[in-house]
């Protein structure tokens, strides 16, 4: 059983997973720049890999928040909307996992990815509609967009989880990661 205190090596590992997610954002972002919600959908498989590895290594409640909140603060320089929705989605994910236990199992890691990515696009669009207004506010008249973006984000988050679990399997075989398969 893992104790509940975070150690320096946990913070360092979470920081590296955050850096991986930032690199993924920098690569994917320009490819889907014409519609911000699509950036999240496109980022799901890549960000999901790092998030899944982080969940598997850290395994405790708060693991997603430890990786995502610093990312949210970094991306806040681009837009406060990003900070708001990433923080909100990480807290929602942590709230759900709080009742499920931790990220020790594959099922909880999958659930964490689906909740995080599935809520990120709709929440991001909703927050942008109220904070930024303009073309985002017009989206409030088309609620089906929120549903489609949520489903698409769930799917890409699940793909990221699957890819992350493949990486975890290889890291475990190489003796570089202590996680349950």
């Amino acid at each position: 059983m893992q104790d509940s205190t975070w150690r320096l090596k946990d913070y360092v590992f979470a920081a590296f997973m955050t850096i991986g997610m930032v690199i993924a954002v920098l690569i994917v972002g320009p490819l889907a720049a014409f519609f911000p919600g699509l950036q999240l959908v496109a980022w799901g498989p890549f960000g999901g890999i790092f998030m899944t590895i982080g969940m598997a290594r850290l395994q405790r409640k708060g693991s997603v928040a430890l990786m995502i909140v610093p990312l949210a603060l970094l991306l806040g320089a681009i837009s406060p909307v990003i900070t708001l929705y990433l923080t909100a989605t990480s807290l929602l994910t942590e709230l759900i996992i709080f009742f499920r236990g931790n990220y020790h199992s594959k099922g909880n890691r999958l659930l964490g990815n689906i909740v995080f990515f599935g809520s990120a696009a709709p929440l991001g669009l909703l927050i942008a509609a109220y904070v930024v207004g303009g073309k985002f506010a017009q989206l409030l008249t088309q609620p089906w967009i929120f549903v489609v973006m949520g489903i698409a984000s769930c799917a890409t988050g699940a793909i990221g989880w699957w890819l992350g679990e493949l990486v975890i399997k290889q890291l475990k075989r190489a003796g570089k990661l202590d996680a349950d398969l």
Side-chain angles (χ1 to χ4, degrees), residues 41-59:
V41 173
W43 178 58
F46 306 103
I49 293 169
F50 294 104
M51 185 178 292
T52 302
I53 295 169
M55 288 177 196
R57 165 60 179 77
L58 299 170
Q59 296 186 352

Side-chain angles (χ1 to χ4, degrees), residues 21-22 25-26 29 36-37 39-40 43 68-91 116 119-121 123-129 131-132 136:
M21 286 185 248
V22 169
V25 166
L26 294 174
Q39 290 173 341
L40 282 167
W43 178 58
I68 296 298
V69 172
L71 175 63
L73 295 173
L74 286 172
L75 295 175
I78 297 170
S79 168
V81 171
I82 294 171
T83 301
L84 285 172
Y85 81 78
L86 284 177
T87 302
T89 55
S90 66
L91 294 177
F116 178 82
S119 64
L123 271 174
L125 291 174
L126 188 64
I127 291 169
V131 175
V132 178
F136 293 107

Side-chain angles (χ1 to χ4, degrees), residues 65-110:
L66 187 61
M67 293 181 284
I68 296 298
V69 172
L71 175 63
L73 295 173
L74 286 172
L75 295 175
I78 297 170
S79 168
V81 171
I82 294 171
T83 301
L84 285 172
Y85 81 78
L86 284 177
T87 302
T89 55
S90 66
L91 294 177
L92 176 64
T93 303
E94 291 297 348
L95 179 65
I96 290 172
I97 295 301
F98 177 81
F99 294 107
R100 296 269 313 183
N102 56 32
Y103 297 103
H104 196 70
S105 71
K106 281 183 175 183
N108 281 357
R109 292 192 293 267
L110 173 60

Side-chain angles (χ1 to χ4, degrees), residues 149-162:
M149 294 302 290
I151 292 169
S153 296
C154 283
T156 61
I159 291 168
W161 165 82
W162 176 69

